[in-house]
Structure formats: structure tokens, C-alpha cells
Amino acid sequence: MADKLEHISGTIEKVIYTNPENDYAVIQVIPDDAMLPIIATGTIPKPTVGQTIKLWGKWDQHPKYGKQFKVEDFKAFIPTGGDNSAMIKYLSSELIYGIGNIYADRIVQKFGDETMDVILNHPERLTEVEGIGKQRASKIHHTVKKAYTEQASLHKLAGFLFQHNFGQGMIKRIWRRYGENALRVVKNNPYLLAEEVWGIGFATADKLAQSQGIQPDDPRRIAAGILYVLQRASDDGHCYLPKDKVIEDASKILQADTEKVSEILHQCASVEKVISDDERIYLPRFYISEEEVSRLLADLLSVPPSKEIHYAMAESMFNLAQRDLQFTYTDEQREAIIGALSGKVIIITGGPGTGKTTIVQSILFGAKQLKWKVKLAAPTGRAAKRLSETTRYPASTIHRMLKYNPGMAKFEMDRNNPLKLDMLILDEVSMIDIELFWRVLIALPSDARLVLVGDADQLPSVGPGAVLKDMINSKKIPTVRLTQIMRQDEHGLIVRNAHRILRGKMPIIRNDARDDFFMLNKHNSQDAQDAVLELVCQRIPNNFGFEPTKDIQVITPMHKGKCGARELNILLRERLNPSPRDAKITNSDGKEYRLPFSPGDKVMQIANNYDLSVFNGEIGEILTVDESKRQMVIRFDIGDIIYDHSYWSQLTLAYAITVHKSQGSEYPAVVMPLLTEHYIMLARNLLYTAITRAQKLLIIVGSKKALGIAVGNNRTLMRYTALANRIAEKLNNYT
């Protein structure tokens, strides 16, 4: 149980440091009962010189900065009478913009203890001060009143939500979204929180609403339940749900009558909270994304390129590439290269070893001869880094290319500020979801060329949609499918087996020491778990020289079970990073909990974070953890990123990851547990995706029965998306 917190009352003398992202601050305070200032650190929103504050916390001895008061809770007050210097500092601080030292001093000298009463309630009296007219008096009144109201409303919001077990991180996000109206929003319609504030789900909002007496059949609750069903569907990759399924699922979750749900669904559609399109129910952003992607693709295909060349010129560039690069091309590769140079939009799809990288290198060669400006991009930092390494040409993430601005929550590159290029080459397109692809097309000039490269047989994107497959299935966009394997050697079984699995054939397993594809037969989960741990921690590093954390990746079909990502992560962490985990953080309620991560941990980002420009599936290593600042520094492929504690819930250990999360990445060595207990996830495209993540070594740990089930199951999970139909309709209208 936490020790009883001490409290200090005083005045802020100096603001040493503030972080507006997480409200962490270091301040110098003069206590009411002391002459010498003290240093206080902690979460203190908008600390201002001259503020009177009351702090609760504990004394701590910092190894470098000495004795400090670690703040766990605080309350700030507007200075009142009795201390003119504090009032002057407050009025001249950054919080009260536009007064300054001179006028602050004159106002306080004139009104003394009545200063705040005059400013708030009798602002016309400010004109009695030299140099202050009616306009300045009004401005001072409104500025101080706004600051006063914000401070008061923030404390009221925190006081209310702390009673309902909301943490500081959630409260700050609510405050940032609604400002001084936050408490009114929370009390009037808590369900808006689930709709508009990141990290607050329907269950949290529903619990808060019930505590305030909102009835189970309240239209606000049913509308929120409908939106929750659609949001959950988008989390599973769907762009829409059939109307009947929305009603059925919402009725079950809400335990409400289907007729009532149908009625509220109709109301939601009438005000465009949802979009109803031919019995398909969309969240608006996914309907807009599908419509815009299909329209923009049609526009792109209908507008001639800015630097048009004849087919014969494209053939000449191909012949020149063949001579200078000394590549031997297949007919498929020839078609792809000439099509990319002579056409407007082309899809190039194929599995590992089919020569996609060679094609991109050759397209870049031709574009250079033609003096075209080309950009390369991929969905993740790791994929972009690999693209740059294999082509020896600069590549970036899509978000970085489009210049995402977290402060404005928008991409800077758009139709009004398009990309300046002649050709865009996108890699790993199977990973790109419908919204991100829309953002790319918005920023792409209509006279530019677009080359889309990916493997349509892999799992679809983590986000909503199946963009690559839908474009191919529309049969309206020129597509080259690569089938001939270029990378082959007698012992290179990873590529050969990947293609065998695609054709429904069992992989070749010889367990020859010279091969790169192995299988350890294990029939129960405990034996398989033990084997995975031994392989990662001992056998592979000793026999192949791979570094366990950086080079070896465990990829598993599921989260749960002895061979699921959760349990394997705990066990692998104990063996690979047994660093002390004694560090603790104290919550606002005074309870302590252990830090979830330690320096050296391998972690993955599990949600797009536009503030930090780190996206779903990115893997990094924790470099440092600062308990006092509640911050971590994590090294990703894009660089070192500072993580405030409010973002820690977006991280998970990544010694073992699911197949879905491995998309777009490659690893020197992959270990994959595969057991019949994974039955629900045993599918051909899942097995294929996992195998193609391995560059040099793949070891399957499990049973041949499970392997056979996966190879034989060609049933892919359907995603509700209408993009293929929309593309076909739009392009039919152009012809």
C-alpha cells in the first residue's frame, strides 16, 4: 500500500521545463511556510509563474538534481489578495497573453487585493489605470476570464472522472478534444467519448452512462452501439457490414429489440452518422474512401502522362536496361517493365523470388534515362528501408512522403499541394488499407504514372479493405502476375516451398543441414513451446550465428495458448532480457505499479500513432526508461522516438508476433509454431505469409497434421468491401 502523500502550498516562482505533449513539468515553488524555493516535478498542466498551487506527492532524491518533490496530484488557484508580487507575475505570465509587466504592475498597484475582482466583475474600472482604454480593458477581462474558466473546468472534469476510475491520460485526451466544454459533454452524452476520443471504447462510455442513469433503450446508447459494431468490423478489416448483420450484432451487444435498433439505424443514416448504400452500412470515412479511390483511379487512367513516350521508346529503354544492368529477364518481367514505362497505372504482383526487385531496379533505370522524377514509398519504416537497400534508391514511408503533420492532424500533401513527380512506385501494396491509399491518390498528380508492387497472395492489410486484391479483381487495371521463380538453388527451399504451398502442395522437408527450411515434429503445445525457446535462445544462435533479439523472429498464428504470442513473449523476455524490473510509477490514486517495459525490450507499435509518426506493426528496441518523466526512448527504423507514458498502451512485446503483424517485414531467421490447437487460424495464405517473412532460415515447430490442414485450407476470410465493383463501375463510365 502506498505511503500517505505529503502536501505543499505555495506560489510558482519559475517554470524550468514543460512538455505540452504530456503536461510533464519541472517548476520552482516558494512554499507558503518557507523562504527558500523547492523543485517540484510531475504532471502539471499549464504551470504559470505567479500561480498559487497546492501539491500532493512525495520527496525524492534525484541522483543528479538533488532533492525534488514528485507531484502525484495538484490544484492550481488564481492568485488572490495578500501577495502583490505573485499577482503581478501571474498577470504578466504567458497564460495571460497581452498584459505584460508594465500594465500588470500598474493594475496591481492601483487595485491591490481587489485586482482579480475588478478584472473579472468590473472590467470598466481598468480604464482608471494609466494607458488602459476600453478596448484593452475588454481584452484583459476576456483573457483572464478564459484562463480562470479553463483552470476551473479542468479541475471539475478531473474530479468527476476520477470518481469513475478514469486515468490522467484519458482525462487529458478528453480535455484536449472538448476544452472547457468537456464536463458538459461527458455528462450530457458520454457515448460521444467512444466516438470522438481515442482510447475510449464503447464499454467504458456505457459504464459511465449507466452510472448517470441513462437507460438501456436510450437512443444515444443504441446509436453508440451501432457505431461500435461498425468500428469493431473495421478493426477486423471490413469496410462495411450488411444491414441485417449490423442490426443483429448491435441487438446482441445492447440486448435491445431489433426493431428499435433498426429504427435508430435509420435515424443514424438520415443524419449521415452512418452511410446506407444498397443494404451496405458504412462508417462515413470508409464509404468516402472507397468512392474516392475508385474515382481517382478512373481519373488517373483517363489522363495522359505528362511525359508520354511511345511503346517503341519503352522497348528501347528495356533493351538498354538489359544490356547495361546485365539482367536476364523473363517474358513476364519484360511485360511489367515496358508496361510501367509506357502506361499510366500498372500492378505488378508475385511471390518471393519472382523478380519484383529486379523489375523495380529496371524501371528506375529507364526513368533515369528519360529524366523522370521518381519517388519510392512503402507502408512501414522497415519495408521502406528494405526497398531502399535492394534498389539503392531513396525510399520513404508513405506517411513521411505525404508529410503527415500531427499538430494539424492532416497530410500536408493533398490535391491542393500535390507531390512533385512523374512516377510513384509503391511497394508492399497488399499492406496498404483503403484510407491510406485514398490519401496517396489525393496527393498524386493526375498526369503522373503509378506503379503498384506487391504480393496479392499474402494476407490483406491490417487496416480496413483489401486494396490490392480489389484492384486486381476489378479487371480494369493493367496487371502483370509473376509466376516464374528466379531465385533458385538446390538448398534454397524457402522460396520453392512458398510457391508449392500456394499451389496446395506440401512443402519439401529434408532437414538437411545445408537447407534453409526445417521442421521439428512436436505434437503437444508444451513440447513445442520448449523447442521454440531452445531454438531462439540457444540452437539457432550457436549453429547459425544469428543474434536472438535482432535477427530471429518468432511468428505464430495466434495470441493465446502456450505457443501464442502472449505467453511466448513473457518466456522469451525472461531469457533474452532478464534486466531488473523494480522500477515503479505511482498513479493519481496513489497506487504503485511496475513499469511494463525495460531497456533492451523488443516492442511493437500496435496502432497508428500520427503524433509520433510510428505506425501499426513497427518494431523497435527500448533504449532508456525515465521513471521520473514517465518516458521511454525507443529505436525504430525511422530513428529514436520519445514515448510519453500515455502512449505505452499502444506497445506490446515483440519477441513473438502474430502472422498478421509480420506483414511487410522480413527477418534473417523465422521460427513458427504450428499446431492443431491453432485450427481456427490454419489457412494457406496465413502459412504462406509467415514463410515468406524468412530471408535465410525458417524452422516450423509443430505437427505435420497441422501443416497439412494449413496447406489444404484455401478458404480466405472474406472482407466486406465494394471497391472492386466501384472501380469497374467508374471505369465503365469513362469508356
Side-chain angles (χ1 to χ4, degrees), residues 415-434:
R415 60 169 54 91
N416 297 318
N417 183 31
L419 295 164
K420 293 176 175 58
L421 48 74
D422 300 306
M423 174 183 278
L424 173 62
I425 301 176
L426 291 181
D427 196 19
E428 295 287 358
V429 179
S430 64
M431 293 181 64
I432 301 176
D433 64 40
I434 187 68

Side-chain angles (χ1 to χ4, degrees), residues 11-14 30 48-51 79 84-94 96 101 104 108:
T11 304
I12 298 179
E13 176 74 10
K14 182 179 181 182
I30 297 183
T48 307
V49 172
Q51 273 184 314
N84 287 354
S85 62
M87 181 64 76
I88 292 170
K89 287 178 181 177
Y90 175 74
L91 292 178
S92 60
S93 70
E94 293 180 358
I96 312 299
N101 285 316
V108 175

